[in-house]
Amino acid sequence: MSAGELLKQANRLKRAGKLDEAIALYHQVIEINPHFAWAYHGLGDALVKQGNLEEAVTCYSEGLKINPNSAWLSPRLRDTHYGHATRSHF
């Protein structure tokens, strides 16, 4: 399965609330393609939903290193870092 297909599956699992399964797939995507910023975005969102804000900040930061102009990662990082993130927000 390609990184893109795994990412789609991980996103579906995240939306369904199957966070542990989604997180495992996001990690697989990153192993396949460590330069896939969307994988860090999705992983960060899943971690926020679990309440793992420090890990989420790390993921968003990694994604921004890959894509510093991301319109999605910058606000996620800011909100999570400064404690504005809520589990329902993501």
Side-chain angles (χ1 to χ4, degrees):
M1 196 176 286
S2 73
E5 291 168 337
L6 285 171
L7 182 68
K8 287 178 188 178
Q9 187 176 355
N11 288 336
R12 282 192 291 273
L13 288 167
K14 181 182 68 175
R15 285 191 299 274
K18 298 179 179 181
L19 300 177
D20 290 333
E21 293 174 54
I23 288 168
L25 285 182
Y26 288 123
H27 283 293
Q28 285 182 30
V29 172
I30 291 167
E31 284 180 31
I32 293 169
N33 183 355
H35 303 288
F36 202 163
W38 279 109
Y40 292 99
H41 176 268
L43 179 55
D45 286 356
L47 291 166
V48 166
K49 285 180 178 239
Q50 284 190 327
N52 297 324
L53 301 183
E54 282 187 40
E55 289 180 62
V57 166
T58 300
C59 289
Y60 295 141
S61 296
E62 286 300 313
L64 278 171
K65 286 179 190 174
I66 296 164
N67 183 2
N69 298 318
S70 172
W72 295 102
L73 286 164
S74 293
R76 293 285 207 260
L77 176 60
R78 181 193 62 238
D79 291 348
T80 306
H81 183 72
Y82 291 107
H84 302 296
T86 64
R87 291 178 186 172
S88 62
H89 182 79
F90 297 91

